[in-house]
Amino acid sequence: MQSRTRNIYLIPYVLWIVLFVIAPIVLVVYYSFFDIEGHFTLLNYKKFFTPVYLRMTLSSFWYAFLITVFCLLLAYPTALLLTKTKHKQLWLLLIILPTWVNLLLKAYAFLGIFGAFGPANALLETLGIGQKQLLFTDFSFVFTSVYIFIPFMILPIFNSLEELSPSFVDAARDLGASPWTTFRRVIFPLTLDGVKSGCQAVFIPALSLFMLARLIAGNRVITLGTAIEEHFLVTQDWGMGSTIAVFLIIAMAIIMILTGSRR
Amino acid sequence: MKQLVRVFATIFIVAFGLMFLAARLNMTEGYSGNNTLTIYNWGDYIDPDLIKQFEKETGIKVIYQTFDSNEAMMTKISQGGTTFDVAVPSEYMISKMKEEHLLIPIDHSKLPNLKYIDPRFMDLSFDPNNKYSIPYFWGTVGIAYNSSMLGGKKITNWNDLWDKDLRNQILLVDGAREVMGMGLNSLHYSLNDTNEAHLQEAKKKLASLTPNVKAIIGDEIKILLANREAAVGVVWSGEAAEMISENKELNYVIPKEGSNLWFDNMVIPKTAKNIDGAHQFINFMLDPKHAAQNAEYIGYSTPNKKALDYLPKNIANDKRFYPDPETTKKLEVYENLGKSMLAHYNELFLEFKMHRK
């Protein structure tokens, strides 16, 4: 009797997973075997291994890597600082707040900020550096992406730092470890799970940023997301779009396995 | 838990209340009967005054909805569940919709005002005999530039864009047909060329333009050029007209080598419920006075020959937006190249975009 009620409770979850997780993936894989005229083919996969798409994959990974690294470099000290502040919840709220604003709106704001006559350039001018082209560069692309993703890096790291019992740190200090050694040998290893999930939360969506690549980088940065969007909306070559999506799914699965906790 | 239930209940009641209110409002304004006409048009692409005038003259209530891309429009119509009576797609989309049987033939006998349309814009390759579509606006693809930022330099043809002085100054519209067409035209090939050698040559030529290209984007070009963010943009004529009205330093030119001539035409999609009303509306918009009023408001070029008489002289005689026949002779309409050729164009365009400085 008890196991039956448990099964009933499972229904919504299973339905959800089947309809919105398994079915779409199966469809994507299915479509990837058809060419533009609707004939069965393996050519899409062959086409993926041409220099064009391989270079695109490489650049997607490179920019996602840069974004993740900068996020981590900024997020870890921030999270560490946050755990030491008085009004933690308030500070945390301030960090989460920007995620409530629509992504498109934020992107347009950066168009203005980085513009030739925007505040960023006005600052450079007053510093005596002079006007620089900021918009449509790698710098502005990585900067904006880091700004958008950083809350997703701070939160898991902050949580794992909060869970860390202070007695470990006290013990390390009592036994004569320097602050740096304490951080390297105690704090960081014990919060590695937070770092890992933060990296996942940033790296995986960063792989297929197409809107920012278009608005902020002016399509000077081409990611796999750009190609997927083009194949689905413009050329209606769903097969090739799906093939790229299949490779992205595989890449994400590999990343999940590699960064997954081994507990 | 109790609080949660209360919150949900409140949201539920408010949502239903609003839905009910909206339905009531529509009813009191007479939107419920058969006497409505749903128009599906690009955003900001009609003088709202004309809709009111049409409602007054015919007693038909107009429901006006907008789209922002041909693809989005076609998807909505082909999926069904909508009741659009008139839509305004671009020419390549018309031939696509025709192929997929999404259009209803237009009865010319119900359109006495059709005679005012310039014969140059009738019976074109994408819709022989205008069986399914009636011209609404037309325009070109060309170069908008800020002459004061270029030190008074003038741009007259596509090849001027390859000038070394324009380093990092050009904004390109994010469209495979437009950019590939520019490459082909600059080599004096047709922008509907399907010869592989010519296409590769065009791609190579475009790759050498890369150092001059600042960005490849969409509608943002308008703001960026008006704000002097860049000096040159490859844009549609209507967008250029809008930019010029905002920033007088800007100029627009149709390149000498030739360029694209595009049309937005009125069609009656398969989803239409009020076919008679749709004809009335199309005929209303074809009236020279109405067409002139609309053209003055929107800033695009009207295909209505008689309407030019009602337009202010400085608009009707503006060669940039109403080019003389000699220039138009060199303009080409996009032909529907078929899915796989279009995919190939996009592939080449993608390769061009990936070309690093």
Side-chain angles (χ1 to χ4, degrees), chain B residues 42 45 70 88-94 117-118 120-122 124-126 130 133-140 236 260-266 301-303 328 331-334:
Chain B
W42 297 84
Y45 209 35
N70 277 305
V88 189
S90 307
E91 79 289 317
Y92 73 96
M93 198 40 87
I94 291 170
I117 295 286
D118 192 330
R120 276 196 295 166
F121 304 126
M122 298 286 287
L124 291 162
S125 62
F126 61 87
N130 288 72
S133 73
I134 303 295
Y136 183 66
F137 277 123
W138 65 280
T140 52
W236 289 284
N260 165 237
L261 178 69
W262 56 260
F263 295 89
D264 284 339
N265 282 19
M266 294 180 275
S301 319
T302 177
T328 23
L331 299 175
E332 290 170 278
V333 179
Y334 291 138

Side-chain angles (χ1 to χ4, degrees), chain A residues 182-199:
Chain A
T182 314
F183 174 76
R184 207 163 56 94
R185 301 275 183 165
V186 180
I187 301 176
F188 191 73
L190 283 173
T191 53
L192 203 59
D193 277 339
V195 172
K196 279 177 178 173
S197 52
C199 287

Side-chain angles (χ1 to χ4, degrees), chain B residues 146-205:
Chain B
N146 187 323
S147 44
S148 85
M149 273 175 86
L150 296 177
K153 197 189 272 185
K154 276 207 166 131
I155 289 179
T156 55
N157 53 48
W158 288 123
N159 281 299
D160 287 344
L161 296 182
W162 271 261
D163 189 333
K164 287 207 167 53
D165 292 345
L166 293 182
R167 202 180 162 81
N168 225 351
Q169 285 292 359
I170 302 176
L171 300 175
L172 295 180
V173 65
D174 190 10
R177 287 303 301 261
E178 283 73 24
V179 174
M180 283 305 291
M182 171 180 103
L184 288 164
N185 274 154
S186 75
L187 293 163
H188 302 279
Y189 297 134
S190 156
L191 46 73
N192 292 314
D193 209 323
T194 53
N195 181 327
E196 185 56 30
H198 293 172
L199 288 174
Q200 288 299 336
E201 203 182 327
K203 196 197 95 190
K204 236 188 195 157
K205 173 117 194 222

Side-chain angles (χ1 to χ4, degrees), chain A residues 47 52-53 56 222 230-231 235, chain B residues 175-177 179-181 184 193-207 210 216 337 340-355:
Chain A
K47 206 157 133 200
V52 179
Y53 287 101
M56 209 183 301
I222 298 292
E230 196 176 282
H231 282 306
T235 54
Chain B
R177 287 303 301 261
V179 174
M180 283 305 291
L184 288 164
D193 209 323
T194 53
N195 181 327
E196 185 56 30
H198 293 172
L199 288 174
Q200 288 299 336
E201 203 182 327
K203 196 197 95 190
K204 236 188 195 157
K205 173 117 194 222
L206 284 172
T210 314
I216 304 162
L337 299 175
S340 40
M341 202 61 208
L342 187 67
H344 187 52
Y345 263 67
N346 271 282
E347 199 79 8
L348 293 171
F349 180 51
L350 202 61
E351 282 177 42
F352 159 65
K353 283 205 257 188
M354 281 175 60
H355 201 276

Side-chain angles (χ1 to χ4, degrees), chain B residues 11 13 35 55 76 97 122 131 133 136 139 151 177 184 200 217 224 257-258 262 293 322 329 353:
Chain B
I11 293 173
I13 291 166
N35 213 14
E55 286 181 333
K76 258 205 158 169
M97 291 173 87
M122 298 286 287
K131 197 170 165 205
S133 73
Y136 183 66
R177 287 303 301 261
L184 288 164
Q200 288 299 336
I217 43 173
L224 294 171
E257 296 98 332
W262 56 260
Q293 187 185 337
Y322 291 97
K329 232 189 288 164
K353 283 205 257 188

Side-chain angles (χ1 to χ4, degrees), chain B residues 229-243:
Chain B
E229 200 76 53
V232 182
V234 173
V235 293
W236 289 284
S237 57
E239 308 228 296
E242 235 177 295
M243 282 187 269

